Amino acid sequence: MPHTLRPIEYFVELPAPQTQNVTIRMVVHNVVSAHLDLALPVWRTGRYAILNPAGTVHRVRAQKTSGATLAISKLNKTTWRVETEGSSEIEIRYSLYANSLADRTRHVDDSHAFLSGAAVFLYVPDHRDYPISIGIDAPPHWRLACGLDADADDPRSLVAPNYDVLIDSPIEIGDHESFSFDVEGIPHEVVIWGAPAVDVGKLTRDFTAIIQKEAELFGGLPYNRYVFIIHTGPGLGGGTEHLNSTVIQVPPAAFEEDTAYERLIGTVSHEMFHVWNVKRLRPAALARTDLTQENYTDLLWFCEGATAYYDELVLARCGLLQGDAYLQKLGELIHQVRRRPGSRVQSLSESSFDAWIKFNQPTSDDMNTTVSFYDSGAVATFLLDMEIRSRTLNRVSMDSVMREMVRLFPDSGSGYHTEDLVEVISTLAGTRFEDFFRRYINGIDPFPLEERSGIVGLQLALDSQELKAYSGLILQDHNSQTTIRYALSDGPAHMAGVLPGDEVVALNGRRYNAAQFAAHVELFMNPGDSAQLEVLRRGRQRSIEFALGSLPKGRWRLSRIPGATAAQREAYSDWLHQSWP
C-alpha cells in the first residue's frame, strides 16, 4: 500500500461521560467515489456471537471539510452511505450509547471510558487496510491504557496500522490503578478499574511466573508491549483476548479471597495463552474475518478448549497450583463433562461450528443437546496429550504440537484447517491420528481417559460406586420462587414431562428451595421411590408423578497410581513440571 495514504482519523469526545454517551468524529481522506459506505462490525473478536452494536449508534451526520452537509442514508442495520458530491475528504460525526460492560464492548461513566473498537468505530469497507489515528478528548486527570502505540507528539493520540489492529486493541481511559513490570525485557502494564487495594508485589510475581512459563513453551514473547485491562465489579467475570492486550473482568473478591484469586490468575493464564493460540495461530476462517456476518470454523474446541486445558496446567507448571489441587480440578472438569447428556448428542466440531447459534445463544435444553467447546475441548485436549504421549512413549506431547503449529502457521499466513492439525500431530508422532479425530472430535465416542492417563502415572475412577436417587432436575431460586432450570434427558423427570421454567410447589407434599430439594432427593430418597411433583405452569397447577432413577454417588477423580513405574513418574514430571511426591 502506498505510504502517501493519509490515515483515517478518529476523535473520541467525552464532554459528559456521566451520561454514558460518546461522540466520535471521523475524517476519511482519499475519497474518490461518488458515495462512501460506512459500517460497524456485527460482532467483536473473541466472542462468537452476533452483537449488532450499531443499535446503540445515533445521530450519524456527514459533511465536507468546508462544513457543507452531505446526504447520508441507511443501507442496512449496520451500514450507512454518504453521497460525497465529489469531495475527497469527508467528516462523519455520530454518537454512541456506551452501557455494555459485561460483554466487554463499550462502557462509559464518570470514572472511565472503556472502548472496544469493533463496537465503537465505524469503518470504510474498502479502506480497511488504511492506517489509523485516534485522538481522545477526556477529563484531564484520566489516564490512558491501550495496546496501541501512542503518537510521538501526543500521549493521548494512538496509531494503528489498519482497522483490524484497531479493533483488536481496546482502549481504557479513566481513574484507575496501574503498575508495570518487565518480562524478558518487555514491558507489561496492569490497569485495574474499580479495584479495592491490591497487593502489587503478589500480582507482579504471579503474572510474571505465568508469562515466563508460557514464553518458555513457545520460545519467547511475540510482542513489544502488553497491557492487562482489569475491570472489577460485583457479578463480573470472564476475559477477552486481544492482539497485545486482554480485558479481564472479576468481582472484588478476586483480590480478597484465595479461591476467587485463583480464578483470576487462571483467567490471566488463559488469556496469555491466547497470545499464541488464536491471536497468532488462527484457523483459516478467522485469519481475515468478515465483519458483517458469522465466521464459521470447526476448530473452536482447539482455539478455546486447548487454551482452557493449558490455563490451569500452566499454573501447576509455574508452582501457583500444587499437583494434588490441579488433579482435583482436572478430575472435576472430567466429571462435569461426563455428566452432561449433551456429550452423547453433539460433537466438538459441531459445537465449534454452531457457537454462533447455540453456545452463545443458550436455551434451557443446552445441557441435553450440546457440549461446551471450552470444557469438553479441554478434556479432549488432555486426552489428545495422553494419546500422543502413549503412542510415542512420552517423546512427543501437546507442547510439541503447539510449538510446531505456531511455527508452521504464523499470523501473517492464511491460517490452518483441521486437516493441517491432524497432519502436524501425525507427523510429529509418527503415527496417524485421523481415527482419533473421527471418534472424539468429529464423533461422540466416550473419551477413553481411564486407558490413557496411565502414561503419566494417573488413574481415573469414581470415588464411590454406591447408587443414589436421581431425578435429573436442577432447580434454581429467584424472587422467592423455586423453578426448574434444567430437566436432564437422562433423568426420569424429563420423560415424565417436567419442563424448564415450571415453578416447584411441592415434592411429595412438602415445599423445598433448590438446595433443600437436591439434598432431600439425595439423602432421604432411594432409587425407585415415587416422586409426586406439584408445579405451577402458566398459572395452572399440575401434578406429575415419576419413579426416581439412580446415579453413582461418586465423582470422577484423577489420582496418582500407587507403585507407579520410574517411566510413569518421569512422564508425570515432564507433563506437570512438578516432581512425583
Side-chain angles (χ1 to χ4, degrees):
M1 180 171 296
H3 294 292
T4 56
L5 289 181
R6 295 182 63 183
I8 294 177
E9 300 174 88
Y10 297 94
F11 301 90
V12 177
E13 300 171 1
L14 297 162
Q18 71 277 9
T19 67
Q20 299 199 299
N21 280 274
V22 186
T23 297
I24 307 293
R25 184 164 60 89
M26 176 184 182
V27 180
V28 183
H29 307 279
N30 310 109
V31 179
V32 295
S33 59
H35 57 258
L36 181 72
D37 288 347
L38 306 161
L40 195 66
V42 301
W43 65 289
R44 67 152 175 81
T45 179
R47 182 176 175 86
Y48 307 100
I50 298 300
L51 300 175
N52 289 325
T56 65
V57 173
H58 53 278
R59 293 184 57 81
V60 183
R61 302 290 183 267
Q63 64 182 40
K64 300 179 181 180
T65 52
S66 64
T69 299
L70 294 171
I72 187 168
S73 59
K74 196 82 178 283
L75 297 184
N76 55 45
K77 65 181 180 180
T78 193
T79 309
W80 293 258
R81 173 165 289 178
V82 178
E83 303 302 327
T84 65
E85 297 183 3
S87 179
S88 63
E89 190 170 290
I90 307 294
E91 180 177 305
I92 302 96
R93 182 180 287 268
Y94 58 96
S95 296
L96 180 82
Y97 182 57
N99 185 27
S100 296
L101 182 61
D103 65 7
R104 297 181 284 283
T105 55
R106 64 263 188 236
H107 186 265
V108 175
D109 63 17
D110 59 2
S111 66
H112 85 142
F114 168 71
L115 307 173
S116 184
V120 174
F121 299 113
L122 295 176
Y123 72 105
V124 182
D126 58 0
H127 287 38
R128 187 167 158 180
D129 292 322
Y130 279 40
I132 302 287
S133 71
I134 313 103
I136 300 174
D137 182 9
H141 66 283
W142 282 11
R143 292 179 292 170
L144 173 64
C146 182
L148 294 174
D149 292 331
D151 185 281
D153 300 320
D154 183 358
R156 288 208 173 189
S157 292
L158 302 168
V159 295
N162 54 54
Y163 185 77
D164 287 74
V165 173
L166 169 64
I167 63 175
D168 214 0
S169 307
I171 299 167
E172 173 71 30
I173 182 167
D175 184 14
H176 52 244
E177 301 296 325
S178 67
F179 61 92
S180 301
F181 56 91
D182 286 358
V183 179
E184 297 187 358
I186 294 175
H188 294 71
E189 182 180 9
V190 179
V191 173
I192 308 177
W193 170 72
V198 300
D199 185 338
V200 172
K202 181 179 182 181
L203 291 174
T204 299
R205 288 191 301 272
D206 293 351
F207 282 33
T208 297
I210 292 166
I211 297 166
Q212 286 176 330
K213 185 57 68 173
E214 295 187 2
E216 174 187 309
L217 169 60
F218 288 104
L221 297 172
Y223 48 76
N224 297 320
R225 187 169 65 89
Y226 194 87
V227 181
F228 295 90
I229 298 172
I230 301 178
H231 294 153
T232 305
L236 291 181
T240 298
E241 68 277 7
H242 290 283
L243 189 61
N244 299 321
S245 60
T246 181
V247 182
I248 294 173
Q249 296 183 330
V250 294
F255 302 100
E256 301 164 351
E257 300 173 2
D258 289 345
T259 301
Y261 179 75
E262 198 170 272
R263 286 194 293 270
L264 165 61
I265 59 174
T267 304
V268 169
S269 178
H270 185 98
E271 303 308 328
M272 277 303 305
F273 202 86
H274 275 316
V275 164
W276 295 272
N277 191 22
V278 172
K279 302 323 301 183
R280 270 79 185 174
L281 174 62
R282 300 183 181 188
L286 302 178
R288 173 73 169 184
T289 54
D290 186 335
L291 302 175
T292 68
Q293 63 181 3
E294 298 87 346
N295 290 245
Y296 297 103
T297 175
D298 60 359
L299 281 157
L300 292 185
W301 73 269
F302 186 72
C303 297
E304 295 293 351
T307 301
Y309 167 59
Y310 270 99
D311 55 26
E312 289 185 335
L313 179 60
V314 167
L315 295 187
R317 286 180 170 183
C318 62
L320 296 176
L321 196 60
Q322 293 305 306
D324 286 345
Y326 174 69
L327 294 182
Q328 182 179 359
K329 285 177 173 291
L330 183 54
E332 181 60 26
L333 181 62
I334 292 168
H335 180 84
Q336 296 298 334
V337 165
R338 286 190 162 183
R339 281 292 302 117
R340 185 170 179 136
S343 64
R344 297 181 285 277
V345 176
Q346 187 185 50
S347 71
L348 276 168
S349 59
E350 290 171 330
S351 174
S352 300
F353 194 88
D354 282 343
W356 302 85
I357 60 171
K358 291 182 181 286
F359 184 81
N360 285 307
Q361 301 289 336
T363 71
S364 54
D365 197 41
D366 284 348
M367 292 286 287
N368 294 327
T369 58
T370 70
V371 294
S372 163
F373 51 79
Y374 283 86
D375 294 348
S376 292
V379 175
T381 306
F382 170 59
L383 173 63
L384 181 56
D385 196 358
M386 297 301 103
E387 183 76 21
I388 294 169
R389 290 173 181 271
S390 294
R391 295 194 195 182
T392 65
L393 299 181
N394 210 50
R395 177 181 57 83
V396 180
S397 69
M398 274 305 298
D399 293 356
S400 318
V401 173
M402 297 308 304
R403 281 191 293 268
E404 186 69 355
M405 287 294 292
V406 168
R407 185 185 72 83
L408 291 175
F409 301 97
D411 59 331
S412 59
S414 58
Y416 67 96
H417 299 85
T418 296
E419 295 76 13
D420 298 314
L421 177 59
V422 173
E423 186 60 34
V424 167
I425 297 170
S426 299
T427 300
L428 287 172
T431 177
R432 303 308 300 179
F433 270 78
E434 281 85 356
D435 189 60
F436 180 96
F437 275 70
R438 180 186 63 80
R439 297 179 65 187
Y440 308 120
I441 305 302
N442 301 323
I444 56 172
D445 285 11
F447 297 158
L449 294 165
E450 292 89 341
E451 304 168 17
R452 294 293 178 265
S453 302
I455 185 65
V456 293
L458 300 180
Q459 59 186 0
L460 177 69
L462 284 167
D463 58 11
S464 172
Q465 295 286 345
E466 186 181 353
L467 296 180
K468 65 179 180 180
Y470 179 59
S471 68
L473 296 176
I474 299 176
L475 279 60
Q476 61 185 357
D477 297 321
H478 182 66
N479 292 336
S480 301
Q481 291 184 339
T482 298
T483 59
I484 304 297
R485 183 179 183 187
Y486 297 114
L488 300 181
S489 57
D490 61 353
H494 176 80
M495 287 304 297
V498 181
L499 300 180
D502 285 350
E503 181 183 350
V504 178
V505 176
L507 170 65
N508 292 344
R510 294 189 60 181
R511 188 171 181 84
Y512 301 96
N513 64 25
Q516 291 167 342
F517 183 98
H520 180 78
V521 171
E522 180 172 349
L523 299 176
F524 300 107
M525 300 187 75
N526 298 306
D529 283 357
S530 176
Q532 187 79 29
L533 198 66
E534 302 293 329
V535 301
L536 279 175
R537 182 184 301 169
R538 296 188 295 275
R540 299 177 68 91
Q541 185 161 328
R542 302 171 67 113
S543 181
I544 303 173
E545 186 173 1
F546 55 91
L548 291 173
S550 64
L551 195 70
K553 282 186 177 180
R555 305 185 78 81
W556 290 101
R557 305 288 188 190
L558 272 175
S559 59
R560 286 179 293 274
I561 297 172
T565 67
Q568 288 174 318
R569 294 195 297 270
E570 182 179 350
Y572 173 92
S573 297
D574 178 76
W575 169 62
L576 205 58
H577 295 194
Q578 293 188 21
S579 299
W580 186 276

